[in-house]
Amino acid sequence: MSFKKDIQAGIIHAVETVRQTNPMAGSVTNTVTINFVANAQLAVGGSAAMVYLPDEARSLAQAGGAAYINLGTLTPVYEKTLPPMAKILHSSGKPWVLDPVAIGIGDLRTRLLLAFKPCKPSIIRGNASEIIALAGLWGLAGGTGTSNVRGVDSQDPVSAAKDAAVALAGWTGGAVAVSGKQDLITDGSVIAFCHGGSHFMEKITGSGCSLGGVMAVYATAASAFIAALTGAAVYNLAGCRAAEKTDAPASFQVHFLDELYKAKSKEIAENPFDIEEI
Amino acid sequence: MSFKKDIQAGIIHAVETVRQTNPMAGSVTNTVTINFVANAQLAVGGSAAMVYLPDEARSLAQAGGAAYINLGTLTPVYEKTLPPMAKILHSSGKPWVLDPVAIGIGDLRTRLLLAFKPCKPSIIRGNASEIIALAGLWGLAGGTGTSNVRGVDSQDPVSAAKDAAVALAGWTGGAVAVSGKQDLITDGSVIAFCHGGSHFMEKITGSGCSLGGVMAVYATAASAFIAALTGAAVYNLAGCRAAEKTDAPASFQVHFLDELYKAKSKEIAENPFDIEEI
Amino acid sequence: MSFKKDIQAGIIHAVETVRQTNPMAGSVTNTVTINFVANAQLAVGGSAAMVYLPDEARSLAQAGGAAYINLGTLTPVYEKTLPPMAKILHSSGKPWVLDPVAIGIGDLRTRLLLAFKPCKPSIIRGNASEIIALAGLWGLAGGTGTSNVRGVDSQDPVSAAKDAAVALAGWTGGAVAVSGKQDLITDGSVIAFCHGGSHFMEKITGSGCSLGGVMAVYATAASAFIAALTGAAVYNLAGCRAAEKTDAPASFQVHFLDELYKAKSKEIAENPFDIEEI
């Protein structure tokens, strides 16, 4: 199928460009998994930098090829840091990835997410419950007015978030990635279902967060849709390979990062995915 | 001994209930070991969520089956976050675990610990010096007016904290766990001495912190005493097994988390412990 | 060469003293690599403690044998915490290590670095671009008025920072360590070039940060120059050995920490280095 081959060529190009150019994607991200995010970004060939302060976020937004904003473990300074950072990213046409983790918990998170709507994140990555809740918060189709998020866990299957994902991608003009047993990635006109991974990815904290950071790295070198799909593909491939080498989560995480580093561009492009027209 | 068998049955029930129900125990915890806490909670079958802001802590306290408060790496917002969180946990009868790490260092930590006294943490976990200092701060028997804590290290043997631990458990009506070469767990009327572990647990940061988080997970499914003992038992078992597989601390930590995940309920219940009536 | 033998004797003494006395070196350091810093300090035989609040930093500065200040992931409270901490360290003659990570990004970092100048850090550790930028900021020879730092990465080779390193060491009366393919350590009168390591050290986040923390541990037991060289030597040795055991970054990090723990004092002293008079 020719369209699929085009996508695979795009994945190969993204992976190789990142490995050759070592692009920087700065992050404002939670303290739980910040180290995993950075090491995953490095493993795929990118460069990482993390900040909290408003003027530093502005600098990072301007200096990086893309940026990653993850809403875990908010602190008071986020209120001043994130809305201007998102505005700069949007106005300068710089790709950025939003992870609306824990949407529905706390006032600041809600205010930040509302402020992000006009800033149209290039990629939104979350679990099904988060994607549904974000569509709801932004008044789009497929969303619900109330969040069904428990802490950081999804209470909904990926398929339940299909309409919300398509509506969000329609709004942003970018891509939306719903993580789950099979990942759903859409640009609003086509949907890719990406296969692989391992049940151990839910047994370590941060597989979702670090995937968002990796998608930001790829977004420096590809369209939002290709960047999101490349991230999902290398995660599914590395997860699958790591799970073959161990039977427990901590050694899985070590193998997983190792496999992110080792995965060849062609192998990543050939990780199984299906395309569905909307 | 029939009483010991009852305890072992309680441990088995706690371990299996957690694995079946994947309970959430939210945390406010330090940035040094926050990732280890989360991964340990996941490894034993629980779910983790970490926050800093007052309203998010309130949400977590209400949504989780238990909570974990660790006083490492305090930031200014803790002053507004923790006292109301502890009050909600206490008034709603929700189990919570306190780790008074670094007690005696800094004014805010002292103020927070004083505020926690009427909120009666279900489980207090610390090293001997921390437990002695907390009993002292709360004006209970066995405590000392001044802290003998050096940074995060204990300067006292576990046995020296026996009276303080019993007095604290008498005050809270819950359990107190003193970590050391052999762990002491008491509910104020009996003491369990729990054996095993490895000297490598002092060579990695966070074995104490993550144990507190794991005890919070078990507290969703058992009494404070059983939850604390189950946590100590699985840590001693996993530490022992991990130490058999390596001769250095970083690989020890990987094996340790793997063994937390793999340990069977019966094996955890059979990890050696002695019971002593007070 | 007799001078080299003296240095090697100093390294052996530093390594063994630390292992025998378990000295505490407290840190204020970034959230990305804080866990790695602590575990590296523990692996070489030290003790770690991390804080953010002003009065806690004061306590740590007084209680520890040395301290480590790393300017990554600044938060608002750093403004009140760090200048007084540095003043206490300097006025009490306590050794402290400065890592000027991300120098040039953000106003607060610049203000802090200017405030540190009279406090004369015993060891300054950074990559070449950071060292050049710091000399520039402090108006010393070899520096440039503008920072050439991209996020956390160096854009200059180690050799380009030679004059800046010598000038900084001349100002502080301590040592400066420039990390890179070969590390340059100088006390202003001699330069040591320290060899070894692995390209994987750039593929994991925090090899520089954790090295700064380890140098602080050694600074409790040796002169600034010997402490810095001992840190560089054990890192180069452990990096080299870890790279022989794996072909990917996450397992490299595990092996690396293991080798930090295992390295014998004589082996560390014999890790290749050259001495050059200035």
Side-chain angles (χ1 to χ4, degrees), chain A residues 31-32 74 106-107 109 150 152-153 203-205 247-251, chain B residues 22 34-35 39 42 47-48 50 52-53 55-56 254 257-258 261-262:
Chain A
T31 57
V32 186
L74 301 180
D107 286 343
R109 189 169 283 105
R150 184 196 70 156
V152 297
D153 303 326
K203 283 287 170 192
I204 55 172
T205 189
D247 59 350
S251 48
Chain B
N22 182 226
I34 191 168
N35 185 269
N39 276 326
L42 266 58
S47 173
M50 277 75 176
Y52 299 121
L53 296 181
D55 64 343
E56 300 184 22
V254 174
L257 277 166
D258 280 357
Y261 174 80
K262 289 184 193 177

PDB file of all heavy atoms in Angstrom, chain A residues 31-32 74 106-107 109 150 152-153 203-205 247-251, chain B residues 22 34-35 39 42 47-48 50 52-53 55-56 254 257-258 261-262:
ATOM      1  N   THR A  31       8.229  15.866  38.298  1.00  0.00           N
ATOM      2  CA  THR A  31       9.424  15.385  38.994  1.00  0.00           C
ATOM      3  C   THR A  31       9.474  13.865  39.131  1.00  0.00           C
ATOM      4  O   THR A  31      10.531  13.318  39.420  1.00  0.00           O
ATOM      5  CB  THR A  31       9.492  15.968  40.424  1.00  0.00           C
ATOM      6  OG1 THR A  31       8.304  15.618  41.127  1.00  0.00           O
ATOM      7  CG2 THR A  31       9.640  17.477  40.396  1.00  0.00           C
ATOM      8  N   VAL A  32       8.354  13.197  38.929  1.00  0.00           N
ATOM      9  CA  VAL A  32       8.338  11.740  39.125  1.00  0.00           C
ATOM     10  C   VAL A  32       9.163  11.045  38.047  1.00  0.00           C
ATOM     11  O   VAL A  32       9.932  10.133  38.317  1.00  0.00           O
ATOM     12  CB  VAL A  32       6.895  11.183  39.096  1.00  0.00           C
ATOM     13  CG1 VAL A  32       6.892   9.699  39.450  1.00  0.00           C
ATOM     14  CG2 VAL A  32       5.983  11.955  40.030  1.00  0.00           C
ATOM     15  N   LEU A  74       2.395  19.747  39.325  1.00  0.00           N
ATOM     16  CA  LEU A  74       2.411  21.209  39.194  1.00  0.00           C
ATOM     17  C   LEU A  74       2.899  21.859  40.482  1.00  0.00           C
ATOM     18  O   LEU A  74       2.629  21.375  41.579  1.00  0.00           O
ATOM     19  CB  LEU A  74       0.992  21.707  38.906  1.00  0.00           C
ATOM     20  CG  LEU A  74       0.311  21.160  37.652  1.00  0.00           C
ATOM     21  CD1 LEU A  74      -1.085  21.753  37.523  1.00  0.00           C
ATOM     22  CD2 LEU A  74       1.137  21.432  36.409  1.00  0.00           C
ATOM     23  N   GLY A 106      -7.495  19.412  40.400  1.00  0.00           N
ATOM     24  CA  GLY A 106      -6.928  20.703  40.781  1.00  0.00           C
ATOM     25  C   GLY A 106      -7.310  21.830  39.842  1.00  0.00           C
ATOM     26  O   GLY A 106      -7.489  21.635  38.639  1.00  0.00           O
ATOM     27  N   ASP A 107      -7.391  23.030  40.415  1.00  0.00           N
ATOM     28  CA  ASP A 107      -7.807  24.201  39.638  1.00  0.00           C
ATOM     29  C   ASP A 107      -6.752  24.675  38.655  1.00  0.00           C
ATOM     30  O   ASP A 107      -7.069  25.078  37.532  1.00  0.00           O
ATOM     31  CB  ASP A 107      -8.101  25.381  40.592  1.00  0.00           C
ATOM     32  CG  ASP A 107      -9.416  25.184  41.320  1.00  0.00           C
ATOM     33  OD1 ASP A 107     -10.229  24.346  40.861  1.00  0.00           O
ATOM     34  OD2 ASP A 107      -9.622  25.855  42.344  1.00  0.00           O
ATOM     35  N   ARG A 109      -4.417  23.108  37.040  1.00  0.00           N
ATOM     36  CA  ARG A 109      -4.331  22.269  35.837  1.00  0.00           C
ATOM     37  C   ARG A 109      -5.433  22.630  34.841  1.00  0.00           C
ATOM     38  O   ARG A 109      -5.194  22.740  33.637  1.00  0.00           O
ATOM     39  CB  ARG A 109      -4.407  20.794  36.250  1.00  0.00           C
ATOM     40  CG  ARG A 109      -4.115  19.829  35.112  1.00  0.00           C
ATOM     41  CD  ARG A 109      -3.932  18.410  35.623  1.00  0.00           C
ATOM     42  NE  ARG A 109      -2.638  18.198  36.239  1.00  0.00           N
ATOM     43  CZ  ARG A 109      -2.416  18.111  37.540  1.00  0.00           C
ATOM     44  NH1 ARG A 109      -3.418  18.180  38.382  1.00  0.00           N
ATOM     45  NH2 ARG A 109      -1.205  17.935  37.997  1.00  0.00           N
ATOM     46  N   ARG A 150      -8.327   8.603  37.115  1.00  0.00           N
ATOM     47  CA  ARG A 150      -8.052   8.270  38.511  1.00  0.00           C
ATOM     48  C   ARG A 150      -6.563   8.446  38.738  1.00  0.00           C
ATOM     49  O   ARG A 150      -5.771   7.617  38.311  1.00  0.00           O
ATOM     50  CB  ARG A 150      -8.426   6.815  38.804  1.00  0.00           C
ATOM     51  CG  ARG A 150      -8.233   6.466  40.288  1.00  0.00           C
ATOM     52  CD  ARG A 150      -8.222   4.973  40.546  1.00  0.00           C
ATOM     53  NE  ARG A 150      -7.019   4.350  40.023  1.00  0.00           N
ATOM     54  CZ  ARG A 150      -6.516   3.189  40.474  1.00  0.00           C
ATOM     55  NH1 ARG A 150      -7.152   2.533  41.412  1.00  0.00           N
ATOM     56  NH2 ARG A 150      -5.423   2.672  39.952  1.00  0.00           N
ATOM     57  N   VAL A 152      -3.368   9.002  37.769  1.00  0.00           N
ATOM     58  CA  VAL A 152      -2.746   9.078  36.461  1.00  0.00           C
ATOM     59  C   VAL A 152      -3.220   7.951  35.546  1.00  0.00           C
ATOM     60  O   VAL A 152      -2.712   7.795  34.446  1.00  0.00           O
ATOM     61  CB  VAL A 152      -1.202   9.008  36.585  1.00  0.00           C
ATOM     62  CG1 VAL A 152      -0.686  10.213  37.365  1.00  0.00           C
ATOM     63  CG2 VAL A 152      -0.761   7.732  37.279  1.00  0.00           C
ATOM     64  N   ASP A 153      -4.174   7.175  35.999  1.00  0.00           N
ATOM     65  CA  ASP A 153      -4.580   5.992  35.250  1.00  0.00           C
ATOM     66  C   ASP A 153      -5.814   6.238  34.401  1.00  0.00           C
ATOM     67  O   ASP A 153      -6.696   7.003  34.759  1.00  0.00           O
ATOM     68  CB  ASP A 153      -4.898   4.838  36.213  1.00  0.00           C
ATOM     69  CG  ASP A 153      -3.713   4.514  37.100  1.00  0.00           C
ATOM     70  OD1 ASP A 153      -2.581   4.645  36.622  1.00  0.00           O
ATOM     71  OD2 ASP A 153      -3.942   4.143  38.260  1.00  0.00           O
ATOM     72  N   LYS A 203       3.680  -1.115  34.320  1.00  0.00           N
ATOM     73  CA  LYS A 203       4.248  -1.483  35.624  1.00  0.00           C
ATOM     74  C   LYS A 203       5.467  -0.634  35.962  1.00  0.00           C
ATOM     75  O   LYS A 203       6.120  -0.835  36.990  1.00  0.00           O
ATOM     76  CB  LYS A 203       4.635  -2.973  35.606  1.00  0.00           C
ATOM     77  CG  LYS A 203       3.432  -3.898  35.759  1.00  0.00           C
ATOM     78  CD  LYS A 203       2.935  -3.837  37.194  1.00  0.00           C
ATOM     79  CE  LYS A 203       1.611  -4.532  37.406  1.00  0.00           C
ATOM     80  NZ  LYS A 203       1.058  -4.178  38.731  1.00  0.00           N
ATOM     81  N   ILE A 204       5.816   0.289  35.063  1.00  0.00           N
ATOM     82  CA  ILE A 204       6.860   1.268  35.372  1.00  0.00           C
ATOM     83  C   ILE A 204       6.246   2.649  35.206  1.00  0.00           C
ATOM     84  O   ILE A 204       5.404   2.871  34.345  1.00  0.00           O
ATOM     85  CB  ILE A 204       8.103   1.134  34.462  1.00  0.00           C
ATOM     86  CG1 ILE A 204       7.707   1.215  32.976  1.00  0.00           C
ATOM     87  CG2 ILE A 204       8.823  -0.181  34.729  1.00  0.00           C
ATOM     88  CD1 ILE A 204       8.887   1.278  32.028  1.00  0.00           C
ATOM     89  N   THR A 205       6.647   3.566  36.048  1.00  0.00           N
ATOM     90  CA  THR A 205       6.091   4.905  35.934  1.00  0.00           C
ATOM     91  C   THR A 205       6.826   5.674  34.840  1.00  0.00           C
ATOM     92  O   THR A 205       8.049   5.593  34.736  1.00  0.00           O
ATOM     93  CB  THR A 205       6.163   5.656  37.282  1.00  0.00           C
ATOM     94  OG1 THR A 205       5.431   6.867  37.162  1.00  0.00           O
ATOM     95  CG2 THR A 205       7.580   5.960  37.719  1.00  0.00           C
ATOM     96  N   ASP A 247      11.465 -10.788  32.941  1.00  0.00           N
ATOM     97  CA  ASP A 247      10.132 -11.115  33.443  1.00  0.00           C
ATOM     98  C   ASP A 247       9.753 -10.223  34.618  1.00  0.00           C
ATOM     99  O   ASP A 247       8.929 -10.597  35.435  1.00  0.00           O
ATOM    100  CB  ASP A 247      10.088 -12.585  33.860  1.00  0.00           C
ATOM    101  CG  ASP A 247      11.116 -12.899  34.941  1.00  0.00           C
ATOM    102  OD1 ASP A 247      11.975 -12.029  35.229  1.00  0.00           O
ATOM    103  OD2 ASP A 247      11.073 -14.009  35.491  1.00  0.00           O
ATOM    104  N   ALA A 248      10.357  -9.027  34.704  1.00  0.00           N
ATOM    105  CA  ALA A 248      10.058  -8.138  35.826  1.00  0.00           C
ATOM    106  C   ALA A 248      10.310  -6.684  35.408  1.00  0.00           C
ATOM    107  O   ALA A 248      11.082  -6.411  34.480  1.00  0.00           O
ATOM    108  CB  ALA A 248      10.910  -8.515  37.033  1.00  0.00           C
ATOM    109  N   PRO A 249       9.653  -5.741  36.107  1.00  0.00           N
ATOM    110  CA  PRO A 249       9.562  -4.385  35.570  1.00  0.00           C
ATOM    111  C   PRO A 249      10.834  -3.536  35.598  1.00  0.00           C
ATOM    112  O   PRO A 249      11.057  -2.739  34.676  1.00  0.00           O
ATOM    113  CB  PRO A 249       8.476  -3.736  36.450  1.00  0.00           C
ATOM    114  CG  PRO A 249       8.381  -4.562  37.679  1.00  0.00           C
ATOM    115  CD  PRO A 249       8.782  -5.953  37.280  1.00  0.00           C
ATOM    116  N   ALA A 250      11.660  -3.643  36.626  1.00  0.00           N
ATOM    117  CA  ALA A 250      12.819  -2.739  36.698  1.00  0.00           C
ATOM    118  C   ALA A 250      13.853  -3.110  35.643  1.00  0.00           C
ATOM    119  O   ALA A 250      14.430  -2.235  34.988  1.00  0.00           O
ATOM    120  CB  ALA A 250      13.431  -2.757  38.098  1.00  0.00           C
ATOM    121  N   SER A 251      14.099  -4.390  35.477  1.00  0.00           N
ATOM    122  CA  SER A 251      15.024  -4.784  34.415  1.00  0.00           C
ATOM    123  C   SER A 251      14.374  -4.526  33.055  1.00  0.00           C
ATOM    124  O   SER A 251      15.065  -4.210  32.085  1.00  0.00           O
ATOM    125  CB  SER A 251      15.462  -6.237  34.568  1.00  0.00           C
ATOM    126  OG  SER A 251      14.351  -7.067  34.777  1.00  0.00           O
TER     127      SER A 251
ATOM    128  N   ASN B  22      -5.371  -3.312  42.580  1.00  0.00           N
ATOM    129  CA  ASN B  22      -4.539  -2.200  42.083  1.00  0.00           C
ATOM    130  C   ASN B  22      -4.910  -0.868  42.754  1.00  0.00           C
ATOM    131  O   ASN B  22      -5.216   0.124  42.104  1.00  0.00           O
ATOM    132  CB  ASN B  22      -4.705  -2.104  40.555  1.00  0.00           C
ATOM    133  CG  ASN B  22      -3.853  -1.028  39.918  1.00  0.00           C
ATOM    134  OD1 ASN B  22      -4.338  -0.259  39.089  1.00  0.00           O
ATOM    135  ND2 ASN B  22      -2.591  -0.920  40.282  1.00  0.00           N
ATOM    136  N   ILE B  34      11.442  10.093  44.420  1.00  0.00           N
ATOM    137  CA  ILE B  34      10.032  10.040  44.024  1.00  0.00           C
ATOM    138  C   ILE B  34       9.780   8.964  42.970  1.00  0.00           C
ATOM    139  O   ILE B  34       8.755   8.275  42.984  1.00  0.00           O
ATOM    140  CB  ILE B  34       9.564  11.444  43.558  1.00  0.00           C
ATOM    141  CG1 ILE B  34       8.061  11.518  43.404  1.00  0.00           C
ATOM    142  CG2 ILE B  34      10.289  11.897  42.307  1.00  0.00           C
ATOM    143  CD1 ILE B  34       7.538  12.958  43.241  1.00  0.00           C
ATOM    144  N   ASN B  35      10.741   8.787  42.080  1.00  0.00           N
ATOM    145  CA  ASN B  35      10.576   7.781  41.035  1.00  0.00           C
ATOM    146  C   ASN B  35      10.635   6.370  41.622  1.00  0.00           C
ATOM    147  O   ASN B  35       9.863   5.482  41.222  1.00  0.00           O
ATOM    148  CB  ASN B  35      11.682   7.975  39.988  1.00  0.00           C
ATOM    149  CG  ASN B  35      11.535   7.061  38.804  1.00  0.00           C
ATOM    150  OD1 ASN B  35      12.092   5.960  38.800  1.00  0.00           O
ATOM    151  ND2 ASN B  35      10.784   7.467  37.811  1.00  0.00           N
ATOM    152  N   ASN B  39       7.711   3.516  41.461  1.00  0.00           N
ATOM    153  CA  ASN B  39       7.965   2.203  40.861  1.00  0.00           C
ATOM    154  C   ASN B  39       7.836   1.072  41.872  1.00  0.00           C
ATOM    155  O   ASN B  39       7.404  -0.033  41.511  1.00  0.00           O
ATOM    156  CB  ASN B  39       9.344   2.190  40.182  1.00  0.00           C
ATOM    157  CG  ASN B  39       9.271   2.761  38.772  1.00  0.00           C
ATOM    158  OD1 ASN B  39       8.264   2.595  38.086  1.00  0.00           O
ATOM    159  ND2 ASN B  39      10.321   3.430  38.339  1.00  0.00           N
ATOM    160  N   LEU B  42       4.107   0.479  42.245  1.00  0.00           N
ATOM    161  CA  LEU B  42       3.620  -0.263  41.085  1.00  0.00           C
ATOM    162  C   LEU B  42       4.070  -1.727  41.143  1.00  0.00           C
ATOM    163  O   LEU B  42       3.309  -2.628  40.792  1.00  0.00           O
ATOM    164  CB  LEU B  42       4.133   0.377  39.789  1.00  0.00           C
ATOM    165  CG  LEU B  42       3.214   1.395  39.112  1.00  0.00           C
ATOM    166  CD1 LEU B  42       2.859   2.549  40.021  1.00  0.00           C
ATOM    167  CD2 LEU B  42       3.839   1.916  37.826  1.00  0.00           C
ATOM    168  N   SER B  47      -1.093   1.517  42.669  1.00  0.00           N
ATOM    169  CA  SER B  47      -1.027   2.598  41.698  1.00  0.00           C
ATOM    170  C   SER B  47      -0.513   3.845  42.427  1.00  0.00           C
ATOM    171  O   SER B  47      -0.804   4.039  43.603  1.00  0.00           O
ATOM    172  CB  SER B  47      -2.409   2.849  41.109  1.00  0.00           C
ATOM    173  OG  SER B  47      -2.398   3.986  40.290  1.00  0.00           O
ATOM    174  N   ALA B  48       0.254   4.668  41.703  1.00  0.00           N
ATOM    175  CA  ALA B  48       0.911   5.815  42.334  1.00  0.00           C
ATOM    176  C   ALA B  48       0.441   7.116  41.712  1.00  0.00           C
ATOM    177  O   ALA B  48       0.101   7.162  40.538  1.00  0.00           O
ATOM    178  CB  ALA B  48       2.423   5.691  42.167  1.00  0.00           C
ATOM    179  N   MET B  50       1.517  11.462  42.413  1.00  0.00           N
ATOM    180  CA  MET B  50       2.255  12.398  43.255  1.00  0.00           C
ATOM    181  C   MET B  50       1.827  13.832  42.952  1.00  0.00           C
ATOM    182  O   MET B  50       1.662  14.190  41.780  1.00  0.00           O
ATOM    183  CB  MET B  50       3.754  12.274  42.972  1.00  0.00           C
ATOM    184  CG  MET B  50       4.434  11.157  43.721  1.00  0.00           C
ATOM    185  SD  MET B  50       4.088   9.494  43.047  1.00  0.00           S
ATOM    186  CE  MET B  50       5.154   8.493  44.107  1.00  0.00           C
ATOM    187  N   TYR B  52       1.919  18.245  44.596  1.00  0.00           N
ATOM    188  CA  TYR B  52       2.461  19.231  45.538  1.00  0.00           C
ATOM    189  C   TYR B  52       1.422  20.275  45.965  1.00  0.00           C
ATOM    190  O   TYR B  52       1.539  20.837  47.043  1.00  0.00           O
ATOM    191  CB  TYR B  52       3.641  19.985  44.907  1.00  0.00           C
ATOM    192  CG  TYR B  52       4.819  19.115  44.525  1.00  0.00           C
ATOM    193  CD1 TYR B  52       5.267  19.067  43.209  1.00  0.00           C
ATOM    194  CD2 TYR B  52       5.485  18.351  45.471  1.00  0.00           C
ATOM    195  CE1 TYR B  52       6.363  18.281  42.856  1.00  0.00           C
ATOM    196  CE2 TYR B  52       6.574  17.561  45.119  1.00  0.00           C
ATOM    197  CZ  TYR B  52       7.003  17.531  43.807  1.00  0.00           C
ATOM    198  OH  TYR B  52       8.078  16.755  43.459  1.00  0.00           O
ATOM    199  N   LEU B  53       0.457  20.588  45.115  1.00  0.00           N
ATOM    200  CA  LEU B  53      -0.443  21.715  45.372  1.00  0.00           C
ATOM    201  C   LEU B  53      -1.561  21.346  46.347  1.00  0.00           C
ATOM    202  O   LEU B  53      -2.036  20.207  46.357  1.00  0.00           O
ATOM    203  CB  LEU B  53      -1.046  22.216  44.061  1.00  0.00           C
ATOM    204  CG  LEU B  53      -0.045  22.799  43.054  1.00  0.00           C
ATOM    205  CD1 LEU B  53      -0.772  23.286  41.805  1.00  0.00           C
ATOM    206  CD2 LEU B  53       0.757  23.934  43.673  1.00  0.00           C
ATOM    207  N   ASP B  55      -4.873  21.920  46.607  1.00  0.00           N
ATOM    208  CA  ASP B  55      -6.147  21.320  46.184  1.00  0.00           C
ATOM    209  C   ASP B  55      -5.948  19.953  45.537  1.00  0.00           C
ATOM    210  O   ASP B  55      -6.827  19.098  45.607  1.00  0.00           O
ATOM    211  CB  ASP B  55      -6.943  22.276  45.276  1.00  0.00           C
ATOM    212  CG  ASP B  55      -6.246  22.579  43.978  1.00  0.00           C
ATOM    213  OD1 ASP B  55      -5.029  22.341  43.873  1.00  0.00           O
ATOM    214  OD2 ASP B  55      -6.922  23.070  43.051  1.00  0.00           O
ATOM    215  N   GLU B  56      -4.797  19.739  44.939  1.00  0.00           N
ATOM    216  CA  GLU B  56      -4.525  18.418  44.365  1.00  0.00           C
ATOM    217  C   GLU B  56      -4.294  17.385  45.468  1.00  0.00           C
ATOM    218  O   GLU B  56      -4.707  16.222  45.341  1.00  0.00           O
ATOM    219  CB  GLU B  56      -3.305  18.485  43.453  1.00  0.00           C
ATOM    220  CG  GLU B  56      -3.491  19.466  42.305  1.00  0.00           C
ATOM    221  CD  GLU B  56      -2.322  19.464  41.331  1.00  0.00           C
ATOM    222  OE1 GLU B  56      -1.591  18.468  41.274  1.00  0.00           O
ATOM    223  OE2 GLU B  56      -2.154  20.472  40.622  1.00  0.00           O
ATOM    224  N   VAL B 254      17.921  -2.628  40.717  1.00  0.00           N
ATOM    225  CA  VAL B 254      17.112  -3.197  39.640  1.00  0.00           C
ATOM    226  C   VAL B 254      16.556  -4.559  40.066  1.00  0.00           C
ATOM    227  O   VAL B 254      15.359  -4.833  39.938  1.00  0.00           O
ATOM    228  CB  VAL B 254      17.940  -3.318  38.340  1.00  0.00           C
ATOM    229  CG1 VAL B 254      17.145  -4.039  37.261  1.00  0.00           C
ATOM    230  CG2 VAL B 254      18.379  -1.934  37.858  1.00  0.00           C
ATOM    231  N   LEU B 257      13.726  -4.190  42.829  1.00  0.00           N
ATOM    232  CA  LEU B 257      12.388  -3.868  42.315  1.00  0.00           C
ATOM    233  C   LEU B 257      11.795  -5.079  41.578  1.00  0.00           C
ATOM    234  O   LEU B 257      10.596  -5.350  41.688  1.00  0.00           O
ATOM    235  CB  LEU B 257      12.462  -2.660  41.376  1.00  0.00           C
ATOM    236  CG  LEU B 257      12.441  -1.296  42.066  1.00  0.00           C
ATOM    237  CD1 LEU B 257      12.860  -0.191  41.113  1.00  0.00           C
ATOM    238  CD2 LEU B 257      11.042  -0.983  42.600  1.00  0.00           C
ATOM    239  N   ASP B 258      12.624  -5.777  40.842  1.00  0.00           N
ATOM    240  CA  ASP B 258      12.138  -6.988  40.171  1.00  0.00           C
ATOM    241  C   ASP B 258      11.608  -7.999  41.186  1.00  0.00           C
ATOM    242  O   ASP B 258      10.564  -8.626  40.975  1.00  0.00           O
ATOM    243  CB  ASP B 258      13.275  -7.631  39.357  1.00  0.00           C
ATOM    244  CG  ASP B 258      13.507  -6.941  38.018  1.00  0.00           C
ATOM    245  OD1 ASP B 258      12.755  -6.000  37.681  1.00  0.00           O
ATOM    246  OD2 ASP B 258      14.442  -7.343  37.297  1.00  0.00           O
ATOM    247  N   TYR B 261       8.280  -7.281  42.697  1.00  0.00           N
ATOM    248  CA  TYR B 261       7.220  -7.643  41.749  1.00  0.00           C
ATOM    249  C   TYR B 261       6.949  -9.149  41.757  1.00  0.00           C
ATOM    250  O   TYR B 261       5.814  -9.596  41.656  1.00  0.00           O
ATOM    251  CB  TYR B 261       7.636  -7.181  40.351  1.00  0.00           C
ATOM    252  CG  TYR B 261       6.725  -7.606  39.234  1.00  0.00           C
ATOM    253  CD1 TYR B 261       5.537  -6.923  38.975  1.00  0.00           C
ATOM    254  CD2 TYR B 261       7.057  -8.683  38.412  1.00  0.00           C
ATOM    255  CE1 TYR B 261       4.709  -7.305  37.928  1.00  0.00           C
ATOM    256  CE2 TYR B 261       6.233  -9.067  37.366  1.00  0.00           C
ATOM    257  CZ  TYR B 261       5.058  -8.381  37.129  1.00  0.00           C
ATOM    258  OH  TYR B 261       4.234  -8.759  36.097  1.00  0.00           O
ATOM    259  N   LYS B 262       8.009  -9.915  41.899  1.00  0.00           N
ATOM    260  CA  LYS B 262       7.897 -11.373  41.756  1.00  0.00           C
ATOM    261  C   LYS B 262       7.490 -12.092  43.035  1.00  0.00           C
ATOM    262  O   LYS B 262       7.020 -13.242  42.974  1.00  0.00           O
ATOM    263  CB  LYS B 262       9.246 -11.944  41.312  1.00  0.00           C
ATOM    264  CG  LYS B 262       9.641 -11.632  39.889  1.00  0.00           C
ATOM    265  CD  LYS B 262      10.958 -12.382  39.611  1.00  0.00           C
ATOM    266  CE  LYS B 262      11.617 -11.916  38.340  1.00  0.00           C
ATOM    267  NZ  LYS B 262      12.913 -12.621  38.153  1.00  0.00           N
TER     268      LYS B 262
END
